[in-house]
Structure formats: C-alpha cells, structure tokens
C-alpha cells in the first residue's frame, strides 16, 4: 500500500468516527429533551412600562393555561378557538382578574402541517405592559403544573428541533431582531424567509445526486450493468458545483461584513483632522479635538448608519515616531486597526504639503498602510490649496481622493456623496444578487465542502470508493450549515445569543 492511500484511508476513518459520535450525541439530546418537555412561558416584549406586553406560552399545557387563566369577554365556551384574537380577562388561579386584554391560541399538531411557530400548542396573552400586571401574570404561570420560564431562544429552538425551520432560518430570525440598519434587515430577511435554506439545500441535493451516481458505479461497475462514463459525468457535475461554491466563497465577504458592520478606519499623521472627521460624521463631539498633536491615543469607535449600511468607524492615534510609551501603544493599535479594516480612510493635511519634500515627509509614516483601495482625504484646504495632486497620487498610489476643509465645511458635501456611493459600490447587495454567506460558520463549512469535492475530482474511476467518501463528507459539511447534520456545539452558542421570549 502506498503512503498516500494509507493516509486517505486514515482520514476517512477519522472523519467517520467524528460523524458517528456527533450523531449519537444528537439522539441523546433529543431523547432527553422529549422526556423533559414542559410548557414554557416568557414575556416576549421588553420588560417595563408600555402600552402592551405580550406573554408567550408554548407546550402541551397551553390549552390548560387557556382554560384556567382566560375568560372570554363574550362569555362563550372555555375551549380555545385557534388563530383568532379575542378580547378576554386574564385570571389568577383563584379566579381574580389580573388584567383586561387579548388572547390568541395557536393549535399545534392539529393537521399534518402544524400552524404554530414551535409546532406545539401556543398561547399569546396581550396585556397592559406595567410591572404589576406582568409580574402577576408571570407568577400565575409559574404556579401552573408543568410550566416553567423559557430559556433564551427556546421558542425558536423548539421550532428548529421540530424541523419547522433550519439553522440558517434560526440565524436569520436572530439577525432580524438584531438588525439596526435597512441593509442588515433586508439581508436578515433573506435568511429568515428561507431563501438561504433553499439555496444551500439545492447545493446539497446536487452533491447527493452526484454521490448516487458514484455509488451506482461502486455497486454495478461501469461497462457491466452500467453504461460507460457515469463516473466522468459525476466528476463533471462536481466540477460545476465546485465552481459555484467557489463563486460564493469569493464574494468579498459582503454578507458577513454587512451583517456585522463595515469596519472603517480613519488613520493618518497627527493633527490633520481625523478626530474632527469622526465628530462631523457622528454629528457630535465623540472624540476630543485639540491643536495638540498626539491628542488621540486610543482607538475610538462609533457605529453609524450610512445610507442603510452599518459602519463602525474607528478614529485612531496619529502615526508618527514617538518616545512616549502610551502614545506608541496607541500608534501600534492605529496601525493594526488600519490594516484589519474593511475600508481605510487616510487623512492628510494640505497645510503640510507646501513643497515636494514636505509632502514626502508628511506621508512617509503612513504610505505603507495605503493601497489602491484606500480613500484619501486632504484636509485643511483653507490653509493651503496649492498642492500637486498628481505628485501625491504617484506617491501614495491611491485612486480615490477628496480635498476639503472641515473647518470651513468646504468640499465636505462632495465627500459625503462620493463616500456613500463608494460604500454602496463595495458592499451594498442588489436584491437579485444577495450573498449566500452571511456567517463565518457558513464559510467554514463551504470551504471544507469544496476541499472534499476537489479531493473527489482528483480520484480516478479505480478509486471510486475513496471518491464516494469524499463526496459524502462534502454533503455532510453542507448539511451542517442548515443543521441537518449534528451541530450541538453550534446550537448552544447560537441560542444563547437570543433574547428570552423568542
Ligand atoms: N485650519 C483647519 N484646521 C482644522 C481643520 N480640521 C481640523 N482642524 C483643526 O486641526 C486640529 C487637529 O484636529 P484633530 O481633529 O484633533 O486632528 P487629529 O489629530 O488628526 O485627530 C484642531 O485644532 C482642529 O480644530 C481644517 O479643515 N482646517
Ligand atoms: Mg485625533
């Protein structure tokens, strides 16, 4: 046996062991959760004074809660009418009226397709959101047999465990709740509405079809019971699929950046107006501005909504040689922030560029951080407007440049327009070209899947068994994105981020 073959056999075994232990864990989790299945309840709106607060109940005891705690205002029978909002009194277990509100009952498994979020019976009580009312209703629920307070994300977790939604939809729901800008909201709705799930599932189905052909070759053998060329045809499909996956991976991380916020760094020499720019964009005195070079020492971040896009702007310490320990640490941080940012604005001062030598000296400390995508602002145009822009462009090699005076507010409107356009060009996503990947987790699984597919393409028809293993692992990796394949570690981390009541 050759060394490479041995290695691949070992690899296959190691992976097989991993999958087996994950599947065992999944079964165990499901069994334990079924045994402990209780009726859960939570306040789904923020606690505190407001017009209305919604309390959600889910589980086998929901109809029991309805019968004991709800009294319809029309005095009709005590059985809940599903999917109908009704005026009611909410009662304590002793029959005391706690509030006058509304209720909706969602029947779980009445038909083959459950019509409640969790797939269980659910009840929503809409009461006045005052602390005494909410406390009284929640306390009463706590005294009902088989009821307990919900954990963060537990309603969504139940929907996932019942197979009503997959993991990409779970992440989408969380992102819809967390979305702070329009672009984030649109992206989150793509996942929450099931589009991501459909696109991922289509990739998985293509892999499974490919695998089925390869397994036919294993079982029947080409040229015997099977026509020639089936294996080559499977390889061709795999190649196309690999190109499609690589296309998604090669999306400039637009989806992930839009979801977590575009990280923008303002850097440059000291005293050029970096902090003034941050304050101007934030429209408040977020950063200290003084004529003293070295005023900003740490990285200061402000999150803004720029044209629907979330932008995390970092103001940094001016880059220069410094003997001061604190300032040097700030400068090192500035350099790291600038290198790791999604967008870089390098600010320079026109007043420091009155000669070719002065210009070269002014940019010397920052030129290594400037690349063709860095946006350049030349500030302090009020002090010096005669700057050789061609020489500067040659010196720093950047393509986009604005001149302005933050002090006199000249050139500022042009910058704001151009900057917004530039951000949209780089990051905004057209509705018909929404990126598939919005989470680092998806990227990891798709990267692994693409490696397995590449490995499959490398095998010849004589190594069809090994090839099939690679395809199986590729399909498993894609299955992990939606949660069809065990992902316990991901689940716990994911639901912990949810709020209670969702
Ligand atoms: N003349 C002039 N001064 C400015 C302009 N923008 C900012 N300044 C001043 O330049 C000094 C340094 O500004 P600051 O924002 O702290 O610069 P930073 O060190 O790059 O953060 C302050 O006194 C600002 O008021 C401008 O466009 N023209
Ligand atoms: Mg500053």
């Amino acid at each position: 046996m050759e060394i490479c073959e041995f290695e691949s056999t070992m690899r296959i075994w190691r992976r097989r062991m991993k999958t087996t232990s994950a599947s065992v864990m999944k079964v165990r989790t499901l069994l334990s959760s079924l045994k402990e299945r209780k009726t859960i309840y939570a306040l789904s709106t923020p606690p505190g004074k407001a017009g209305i607060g919604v309390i959600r109940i889910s589980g086998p005891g929901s109809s029991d809660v309805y019968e004991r705690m709800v009294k319809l205002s029309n005095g009709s029978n005590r059985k809940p009418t599903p999917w109908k909002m009704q005026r009611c009194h909410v009662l304590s277990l002793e029959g005391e009226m706690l509030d006058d509100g509304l209720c909706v009952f969602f029947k779980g498994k009445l038909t083959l397709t459950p019509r409640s979020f969790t797939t269980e019976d659910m009840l929503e009580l809409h009461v006045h959101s005052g602390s005494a009312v909410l406390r009284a209703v929640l306390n009463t629920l706590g005294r009902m047999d088989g009821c307990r307070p919900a954990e963060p994300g537990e309603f969504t977790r139940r929907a996932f465990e019942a197979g009503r939604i997959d993991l990409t939809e779970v992440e989408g729901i969380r992102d819809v709740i967390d979305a702070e800008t329009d672009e984030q909201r649109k992206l989150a709705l793509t996942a929450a509405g099931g589009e991501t799930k459909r696109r991922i599932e289509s990739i998985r189905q293509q892999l499974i079809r490919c695998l089925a052909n390869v397994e036919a070759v294993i079982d029947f053998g080409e040229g015997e019971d099977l026509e020639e060329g089936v294996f080559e045809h499977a390889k061709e499909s795999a190649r196309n699929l690999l190109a499609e996956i690589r296309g998604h991976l090669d999306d400039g991380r637009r989806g992930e950046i839009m979801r977590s916020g575009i990280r923008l760094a303002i850097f440059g020499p000291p005293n050029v107006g970096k902090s003034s720019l941050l304050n101007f964009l934030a429209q408040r005195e977020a950063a200290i501005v003084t004529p003293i070079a070295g005023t900003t020492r740490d990285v200061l971040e402000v999150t803004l909504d720029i044209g629907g896009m979330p932008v995390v702007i970092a103001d940094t310490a001016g880059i220069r040689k410094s003997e001061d320990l604190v300032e040097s640490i700030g400068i090192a941080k500035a350099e790291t922030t600038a290198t790791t940012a999604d967008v870089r604005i390098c600010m320079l001062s026109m007043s420091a560029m009155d000669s070719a030598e002065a210009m070269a000296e002014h940019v010397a400390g920052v030129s290594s951080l400037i690349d063709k995508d860095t946006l350049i602002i030349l500030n302090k145009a009020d002090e010096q407007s005669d700057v050789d822009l061609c020489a500067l462009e040659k010196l720093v090699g950047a393509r986009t440049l604005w001149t302005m005076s933050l002090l006199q507010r000249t050139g500022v409107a042009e910058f704001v327009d151009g900057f917004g356009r530039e951000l949209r060009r780089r990051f905004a996503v057209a509705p018909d070209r929404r990126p598939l990947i919005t989470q680092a987790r998806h990227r990891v699984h798709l990267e692994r899947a693409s490696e397995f597919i590449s490995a499959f393409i490398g095998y010849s028809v004589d190594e069809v068994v090994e090839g099939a293993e690679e395809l199986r692992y590729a399909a498993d990796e894609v299955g992990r994105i939606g949660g069809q394949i065990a992902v316990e570690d991901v689940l716990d981390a994911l639901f912990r981020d949810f709020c209670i009541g969702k």
Side-chain angles (χ1 to χ4, degrees):
M1 188 192 275
E2 281 174 30
I3 292 178
C4 59
E5 266 182 62
F6 174 73
E7 268 201 356
S8 90
T9 315
M10 285 300 288
R11 219 158 20 118
I12 286 167
W13 269 106
R14 269 201 299 275
R15 286 185 219 138
R16 189 174 280 164
M17 299 285 288
K18 254 197 223 159
T19 318
T20 313
S21 63
S23 315
V24 170
M25 266 181 67
K26 184 167 194 177
V27 171
R28 207 179 297 144
T29 315
L30 273 179
L31 284 179
S32 68
S33 67
L34 281 177
K35 209 165 59 195
E36 292 160 13
R37 180 121 318 209
K38 288 214 168 192
T39 298
I40 52 171
Y41 63 89
L43 175 66
S44 286
T45 42
K49 244 187 223 184
I52 291 162
V54 178
I55 292 163
R56 246 177 161 186
I57 298 129
S58 175
S62 298
S63 56
D64 213 27
V65 171
Y66 180 94
E67 278 161 33
R68 297 196 60 186
M69 290 182 65
V70 171
K71 184 176 162 206
L72 294 186
S73 304
N74 64 13
S76 68
N77 72 20
R78 309 279 298 147
K79 287 279 170 226
T81 313
W83 307 295
K84 186 171 177 196
M85 187 170 254
Q86 287 176 300
R87 178 90 184 266
C88 67
H89 285 176
V90 179
L91 309 177
S92 75
L93 298 186
E94 291 71 33
E96 180 203 352
M97 174 180 151
L98 302 177
D99 196 12
D100 183 1
L102 293 166
C103 67
V104 197
F105 187 82
F106 301 88
K107 187 71 197 144
K109 297 209 171 70
L110 182 67
T111 53
L112 278 179
T113 33
R115 286 168 63 197
S116 80
F117 178 59
T118 58
T119 78
E120 303 172 327
D121 285 354
M122 289 185 78
L123 175 65
E124 273 181 21
L125 298 174
H126 297 228
V127 293
H128 296 104
S129 188
S131 53
V133 175
L134 296 176
R135 196 170 47 240
V137 178
L138 291 171
N139 280 346
T140 306
L141 283 164
R143 289 170 54 214
M144 292 272 316
D145 269 352
C147 284
R148 67 158 170 80
E151 285 163 17
E154 200 172 357
F155 291 92
T156 312
R157 187 167 192 147
R158 288 192 173 188
F160 167 74
E161 284 177 354
R164 193 182 188 296
I165 52 174
D166 85 337
L167 266 196
T168 64
E169 289 167 307
V170 170
E171 287 163 332
I173 293 170
R174 183 194 56 188
D175 290 349
V176 170
I177 295 171
D178 288 344
E180 288 185 339
T181 74
D182 269 351
E183 290 293 326
Q184 284 179 314
R185 174 181 58 76
K186 289 179 202 160
L187 200 60
L189 283 173
T190 314
E195 192 186 319
T196 309
K197 170 175 150 180
R198 277 190 292 282
R199 291 168 74 185
I200 295 283
E201 191 50 25
S202 142
I203 294 179
R204 198 168 78 99
Q205 287 308 325
Q206 290 180 61
L207 273 169
I208 289 171
R209 269 201 300 279
C210 209
L211 178 62
N213 283 329
V214 173
E215 295 206 318
V217 176
I218 298 177
D219 290 344
F220 305 109
E222 273 186 13
E224 293 168 29
D225 296 324
L226 212 62
E227 73 223 61
E228 293 283 350
V230 173
F231 189 72
E232 269 316 308
H233 182 71
K235 270 168 87 162
E236 189 53 36
S237 318
R239 262 185 224 108
N240 292 339
L241 194 55
L242 185 61
E244 183 187 332
I245 295 177
R246 288 202 172 134
H248 291 307
L249 289 169
D250 201 16
D251 62 358
R253 290 180 52 250
R254 277 177 185 232
E256 290 139 289
I257 290 174
M258 192 55 76
R259 189 181 149 260
S260 56
I262 302 166
R263 305 197 70 81
L264 181 143
I266 309 172
F267 72 98
N271 219 24
V272 293
K274 300 181 296 300
S275 300
S276 306
L277 176 67
L278 177 81
N279 289 351
F280 166 73
L281 291 172
Q283 293 178 16
R284 66 183 173 93
E285 297 297 305
I288 302 170
V289 170
T290 76
I292 304 162
T295 299
T296 310
R297 299 191 148 206
D298 213 340
V299 177
L300 177 74
E301 287 189 345
V302 175
T303 305
L304 299 178
D305 177 339
I306 299 184
M309 291 174 288
V311 186
V312 186
I313 304 186
D315 177 27
T316 62
I319 295 170
R320 64 168 172 182
K321 293 226 168 351
S322 168
E323 299 297 317
D324 182 294
L325 176 67
V326 181
E327 194 186 355
S328 320
I329 296 172
I331 292 169
K333 273 195 183 180
E335 288 170 343
T336 314
T337 308
T339 12
T340 54
D342 302 315
V343 186
R344 279 180 285 281
I345 292 186
C346 175
M347 195 161 210
L348 301 167
S349 168
M350 295 175 85
S351 65
M353 298 192 197
D354 50 1
S355 67
E357 298 75 49
M359 181 190 284
E361 196 185 320
H362 187 55
V363 302
V366 293
S367 58
S368 64
L369 294 169
I370 299 174
D371 63 16
K372 62 178 179 18
D373 294 325
T374 308
L375 310 175
I376 307 272
I377 295 180
L378 302 182
N379 191 30
K380 305 204 183 183
D382 53 290
E383 288 189 347
Q384 158 85 25
S385 57
D386 187 19
V387 165
D388 184 349
L389 295 182
C390 289
L392 180 72
E393 277 177 28
K394 265 198 207 125
L395 203 60
V396 296
R399 284 197 218 132
T400 320
L401 189 146
W402 291 279
T403 58
M404 67 166 72
S405 163
L406 272 171
L407 189 73
Q408 296 186 338
R409 292 284 189 263
T410 52
V412 172
E414 289 81 354
F415 160 71
V416 170
D417 272 4
F419 172 58
R421 256 201 315 276
E422 190 61 23
L423 284 185
R424 293 205 80 76
R425 187 182 69 74
R426 291 194 198 179
F427 301 102
V429 283
D432 54 336
R433 286 187 49 238
R434 290 252 150 82
L436 178 67
I437 305 173
T438 51
Q439 323 264 338
R441 195 179 72 76
H442 302 175
R443 184 170 293 282
V444 169
H445 293 308
L446 281 181
E447 258 161 11
R448 284 194 201 142
S450 70
E451 281 165 23
F452 288 128
I453 299 172
S454 287
F456 162 70
I457 293 170
Y459 282 113
S460 72
V461 71
D462 301 332
E463 304 156 310
V464 62
V465 175
E466 288 85 347
E469 281 295 318
E470 301 290 350
L471 277 184
R472 205 164 292 131
Y473 286 116
D476 279 4
E477 281 303 333
V478 178
R480 285 192 168 86
I481 299 175
Q484 286 88 348
I485 301 287
V487 277
E488 273 68 27
D489 43 345
V490 178
L491 288 184
D492 287 338
L494 183 58
F495 288 108
R496 216 177 300 128
D497 285 353
F498 266 83
C499 32
I500 292 177
K502 188 60 210 175

